[in-house]
Amino acid sequence: MFRDFGVDEVGLLLKGAQWTVLLSFIAFIGGSIVGLVVAAVRVVGPRSLNALATGYIQAVQGTPLLGQMFLFFFGFSIMGLEVSAWVAVSVSLILFSGAFLGDIWRGCIQAIPQTQWEASSCLGLGFFQQMRYVILPQALRIAIPPTVGFFVQIIKNTSLAAVVGFVELLRAGQMVTAATFKPFTVYLAVALIYFALCYPLSLWSRHLERKLNVAHSH
Amino acid sequence: MSLIRIENVHKSFGDLAVLNGVSLDIEEGEIVTIIGRSGSGKSTLLRCINGLEKVQSGEIWADGVQVNDPATNLRLLRQRLGIVFQSYNLFPHLTVERNITLAPQVVQKRAAADVRQVAVDVLRQVGLESKIDAYPIQLSGGQQQRVAIARSLAMAPKVMLLDEITSALDPELIGDVLKVLEDLARQGMTMVLVTHEMGFARRVSSQVVFMHEGRVWESGPPDRIFTKPETPELATFIQSVL
Ligand SMILES: Nc1ncnc2c1ncn2[C@@H]1O[C@H](COP(=O)(O)OP(=O)(O)OP(=O)(O)O)[C@@H](O)[C@H]1O
Ligand SMILES: [Mg+2]
């Protein structure tokens, strides 16, 4: 009656993991675009836009991601829009990532000392030249470790999509459990797959951080 | 007309009046040193000359344009006014060569081959040809400060503004930097420098300006200023620093 936990079941989990990876990339790429705009607005935007961006960041950071997913999943249909779990989950993950990445990158840009702006403007560089040649290259370096670190958070947070019925890794685990009734084995396998996705990134992030610290202090 | 003309300039930060009617003329080829107590407004005055600080009233002219006219293109003007700060402010992510060639290339739009030669030339002037491929962090403070001077020189400025550029350096490194300035002086570079190196000020200046309470309290040739101060404030200051 119950199936065994065999090669087929592992295959199902891996298929789920594919969607986890894909969803993570969508969240990261979409979130990066939103985040870039948010960071730019926060650093040099006019007051009104700046307030808007700040409000957005606070709204996202001050509410649980699961709640945001529900909001989009049910919110769209209340507005009469039939959207798939795909769309609702992607939109909410993109907005979630955009707020955090925007805030991380704003911090990185503002961490570059005022004297770097001053020195470059004294050499006659205009705003975009300052950004391109002086500020952003330095901001980018300090942004890499926290950005990679946040990517790990995104991967783990995609598991919330299971709740609205999106079949990613965790949801695949639930389905395999229902078929095999071996929750411990299945969820251990699920955890191992998450770990295999996240751990190398965590290591890489820590490695980058160490490397950049050394570059700054020798 | 003077290369730099400052007329009755007033500048305050909020309620704090920092410059209270400063007037000063600087001719081409002059070396003007500004001395005075901490907080007397020396740095602020220097920063006003290239428009880093806005003034409340008065006029500042540099190389024929009015700095505090909102219509003035400060980017163009700053290419002709070099400024070097106490804290060097090199770009840490760029090599010495790139620190120097960045502005000539992207601001003055000069060819890559040209600016490479410019970098070699100005580094030779400050005695650091061998460091062309180094990063700022690999240099001593004195070397970084000389690169900062070279970076400014690469724009071929008409005036160099130098704000306490040796104050952050260990005593044994100051000499190399001062020597670079003396060479520049010999080549006829116009310089305005704020300094605590009184011996140096006395040796190279054409005019010494003593600032006190946001005013030019006394100014004149170095020998007169250092040996026959006319105001008690200058006399006290000189006693305290010698
Ligand atoms: N950006 C600023 N905001 C507010 N106050 C400032 C600012 N810059 C300078 N001041 C104040 O203006 C006054 C003059 O400062 P300034 O730096 O010109 O003095 P200074 O003569 O260069 O002194 P020092 O020899 O210590 O460098 C000081 O009281 C200082 O605190
Ligand atoms: Mg000062």
Side-chain angles (χ1 to χ4, degrees):
Chain A
M1 31 183 269
F2 286 125
R3 286 163 53 190
D4 239 10
F5 183 67
V7 177
D8 286 351
E9 283 64 35
V10 172
L12 279 176
L13 291 186
L14 287 179
K15 201 161 276 166
Q18 271 178 10
W19 294 116
T20 291
V21 170
L22 187 63
L23 198 55
S24 302
F25 273 111
I26 290 175
F28 186 72
I29 291 166
S32 296
I33 295 168
V34 175
L36 269 180
V37 175
V38 167
V41 163
R42 290 280 276 120
V43 174
V44 293
R47 191 173 292 236
S48 53
L49 281 182
N50 200 325
L52 200 68
T54 309
Y56 158 59
I57 292 173
Q58 282 168 351
V60 170
Q61 293 188 344
T63 54
L65 175 58
L66 186 58
Q68 295 163 25
M69 278 186 185
F70 279 145
L71 202 65
F72 281 104
F73 190 63
F74 297 112
F76 276 133
S77 56
I78 287 169
M79 288 188 306
L81 287 169
E82 265 321 308
V83 301
S84 60
W86 250 115
V87 175
V89 162
S90 301
V91 169
S92 52
L93 277 171
I94 285 173
L95 290 180
F96 173 80
S97 310
F100 278 91
L101 288 174
D103 206 33
I104 291 172
W105 293 342
R106 172 202 54 79
C108 293
I109 294 174
Q110 289 179 342
I112 306 305
Q114 198 55 37
T115 50
Q116 291 285 305
W117 287 97
E118 210 166 89
S120 48
S121 107
C122 285
L123 288 166
L125 274 75
F127 175 75
F128 289 104
Q129 294 173 335
Q130 290 178 295
M131 270 293 183
R132 169 161 173 211
Y133 296 105
V134 178
I135 305 300
L136 288 183
Q138 295 185 62
L140 205 65
R141 283 190 197 193
I142 49 178
I144 290 173
T147 302
V148 174
F150 183 70
F151 193 46
V152 174
Q153 299 299 318
I154 295 179
I155 294 175
K156 290 191 284 189
N157 276 321
T158 55
S159 62
L160 291 175
V163 179
V164 293
F166 183 88
V167 186
E168 39 63 73
L169 176 54
L170 187 68
R171 183 89 185 108
Q174 289 172 344
M175 287 155 69
V176 172
T177 303
T180 60
F181 210 67
K182 292 209 169 60
F184 184 74
T185 319
V186 174
Y187 287 121
L188 189 65
V190 166
L192 281 176
I193 297 175
Y194 274 117
F195 189 77
L197 289 175
C198 295
Y199 186 62
L201 283 172
S202 295
L203 275 187
W204 189 41
S205 155
R206 235 171 299 155
H207 166 77
L208 288 170
E209 202 160 350
R210 250 198 322 269
K211 209 170 100 184
L212 293 168
N213 278 339
V214 170
H216 268 276
S217 60
H218 74 223
Chain B
M1 185 174 175
S2 314
L3 189 51
I4 292 175
R5 151 158 268 169
I6 300 166
E7 259 176 41
N8 198 23
V9 161
H10 290 258
K11 160 82 193 168
S12 46
F13 292 106
D15 288 339
L16 179 71
V18 176
L19 300 179
N20 302 304
V22 173
S23 298
L24 184 64
D25 274 331
I26 297 167
E27 305 296 332
E28 200 157 344
E30 260 203 285
I31 292 161
V32 176
T33 45
I34 302 174
I35 60 173
R37 271 182 215 301
S38 179
S40 56
K42 307 180 297 292
S43 298
T44 305
L45 179 62
L46 220 54
R47 292 165 61 85
C48 287
I49 294 177
N50 83 344
L52 276 177
E53 303 287 355
K54 303 273 165 273
V55 305
Q56 268 79 43
S57 68
E59 286 187 5
I60 300 179
W61 292 79
D63 197 22
V65 297
Q66 190 179 344
V67 181
N68 62 326
D69 177 348
T72 295
N73 183 340
L74 283 179
R75 284 189 61 193
L76 276 180
L77 177 68
R78 283 178 183 158
Q79 296 174 38
R80 288 172 279 151
L81 304 177
I83 188 164
V84 181
F85 303 96
Q86 182 177 339
S87 51
Y88 341 128
N89 304 349
L90 294 178
F91 306 130
H93 60 301
L94 302 177
T95 62
V96 165
E97 177 182 0
R98 193 61 181 144
N99 261 277
I100 295 172
T101 58
L102 179 65
Q105 204 170 0
V106 310
V107 178
Q108 296 179 327
K109 312 274 183 234
R110 298 172 64 177
D114 280 3
V115 297
R116 161 100 194 167
Q117 189 54 46
V118 169
V120 172
D121 290 344
V122 292
L123 281 173
R124 185 171 306 130
Q125 271 192 67
V126 301
L128 288 174
E129 305 98 299
S130 62
K131 301 292 185 188
I132 190 160
D133 293 319
Y135 281 89
I137 202 136
Q138 299 166 321
L139 305 178
S140 74
Q143 291 170 334
Q144 290 192 48
Q145 192 56 289
R146 283 186 281 155
V147 171
I149 296 172
R151 180 174 70 176
S152 243
L153 289 176
M155 299 293 280
K158 300 196 77 168
V159 182
M160 291 282 276
L161 309 171
L162 309 150
D163 190 4
E164 293 199 36
I165 64 168
T166 57
S167 297
L169 302 179
D170 293 335
E172 71 271 18
L173 300 176
I174 292 176
D176 289 338
V177 175
L178 294 184
K179 194 175 142 300
V180 168
L181 296 189
E182 282 184 67
D183 287 345
L184 279 177
R186 254 195 304 280
Q187 292 159 25
M189 174 65 80
T190 310
M191 292 194 272
V192 186
L193 46 115
V194 175
T195 186
H196 291 300
E197 298 290 325
M198 293 303 153
F200 177 76
R202 193 162 173 182
R203 210 163 55 241
V204 305
S205 311
S206 52
Q207 186 186 174
V208 176
V209 172
F210 171 61
M211 287 198 57
H212 187 67
E213 295 179 348
R215 288 189 183 81
V216 174
W217 205 258
E218 225 183 301
S219 69
D223 281 336
R224 219 263 306 127
I225 291 290
F226 286 108
T227 55
K228 299 191 195 65
E230 283 166 2
T231 58
E233 289 80 6
L234 176 56
T236 324
F237 176 75
I238 286 176
Q239 257 173 11
S240 71
V241 294
L242 287 186

